[in-house]
Amino acid sequence: MLCFGGSGVPIVLLHGLMGRARTWRRVAEWLRPYGAVYGLDARGHGSAPRVGPWTTERFAEDVAGTLRTLDAGPAVLIGHSMGGLHAWATAARYPELVRAVVSEDFAPDQRGRTVETWRGYFESWPVPFKSLDHVREFFGDAGEYFADCVEERSDGFHLVADLEDLYVIAAEWGRVDYWSTVDAIRCPLLLVEGEHTAMPPGQQAAVAARVPGAKHLVVPGSAHLPHDEAPETYRGAVEAFLSQVLNR
């Protein structure tokens, strides 16, 4: 776990598939005035153990264990994609540990999607990348994010995650829907959706409609990474939400 600084209410950042805690470093800079900011590497990612099971239930247990270790009261969870799902599951199963959730671009029902879609996309990438500039150029607007998802090895830059593990994680999303998880959330919830999201249409708005008091924002011009693709809009929405939740 990374400590980004700050004090007070714990704010724990949960990354997306193939990411790691440091992908949040630009967001963490402006979050520090709101609390003690941490970034958690999910199992199979970054410096976390690469040991399954690769289930949402287990990931939520990991988050809950981290929150208990902090022992600083209920936390704000901010998650991107997979991390948003883990934030939902933690809030649903361990409500005493979660004060509020920000979820970025994840939909609860992706049944029928297969890992072959993910596999073809991931394996089309020119890995190893020649340099960090090569990573940034290849991914365009999301280049800074993906530059934090790679590490240098003798032959170039590789993902800091095992693709076979990622396929197993993503496969669950194609088999299971998480509406029951959504329906169990009782804390304040902000959903941030990219205008050009690849998630099934309408579902993030439907989540907001099912969770009492939840808010939903579609970020113009962004796709799956609003916090990097439209950082000012994302920041404004999250700061407004935190100001209300934390009575600032």
Side-chain angles (χ1 to χ4, degrees):
M1 181 170 61
L2 290 182
C3 178
F4 290 110
S7 61
V9 175
I11 300 174
V12 179
L13 305 171
L14 308 175
H15 62 78
L17 190 72
M18 84 169 52
R20 52 176 164 170
R22 65 175 292 170
T23 61
W24 286 109
R25 57 190 174 83
R26 291 170 292 281
V27 171
E29 290 178 3
W30 52 261
L31 279 174
R32 281 193 288 267
Y34 294 91
V37 186
Y38 302 90
L40 180 64
D41 283 341
R43 63 177 52 234
H45 297 72
S47 61
R50 298 192 178 187
V51 179
W54 310 111
T55 63
T56 299
E57 180 178 6
R58 185 56 182 270
F59 284 115
E61 289 174 2
D62 291 343
V63 176
T66 297
L67 300 183
R68 292 191 185 100
T69 298
L70 292 175
D71 193 27
V76 175
L77 300 181
I78 298 179
H80 167 243
S81 191
M82 176 186 78
L85 171 61
H86 296 170
W88 293 350
T90 306
R93 296 171 186 175
Y94 309 97
E96 72 283 2
L97 298 176
V98 182
R99 185 165 183 166
V101 168
V102 177
S103 168
E104 180 184 3
D105 215 54
F106 193 85
D109 188 353
Q110 301 179 52
R111 287 175 297 171
R113 294 189 174 191
T114 72
V115 294
E116 294 310 309
T117 301
W118 298 90
R119 188 186 303 272
Y121 176 55
F122 293 161
E123 294 182 0
S124 71
W125 297 353
V127 178
F129 293 95
K130 299 172 184 176
S131 64
L132 289 178
D133 283 342
H134 185 199
V135 175
R136 295 184 183 103
E137 179 183 1
F138 183 79
F139 289 107
D141 290 343
E144 285 299 328
Y145 174 87
F146 281 101
D148 285 329
C149 297
V150 298
E151 65 181 0
E152 187 173 14
R153 301 178 191 168
S154 60
D155 60 344
F157 288 83
H158 293 256
L159 293 172
V160 190
D162 187 319
L163 284 177
E164 293 303 320
D165 296 338
L166 304 188
Y167 298 145
V168 177
I169 294 168
E172 183 191 273
W173 309 340
R175 298 191 307 269
V176 178
D177 79 80
Y178 301 98
W179 288 115
S180 62
T181 297
V182 166
D183 290 340
I185 296 172
R186 294 292 180 267
C187 65
L189 171 64
L190 170 65
L191 297 113
V192 181
E193 178 177 359
E195 178 185 11
H196 306 297
T197 180
M199 293 291 154
Q203 289 194 20
Q204 294 178 72
V207 170
R210 291 171 75 139
V211 177
K215 303 177 186 300
H216 173 234
L217 172 69
V218 176
V219 179
S222 68
H224 189 50
L225 276 164
H227 73 266
D228 264 3
E229 295 161 344
E232 292 183 2
T233 303
Y234 177 85
R235 177 177 178 174
V238 173
E239 287 192 322
F241 178 73
L242 292 179
S243 295
Q244 182 176 29
V245 166
L246 302 177
N247 298 315
R248 296 269 178 120

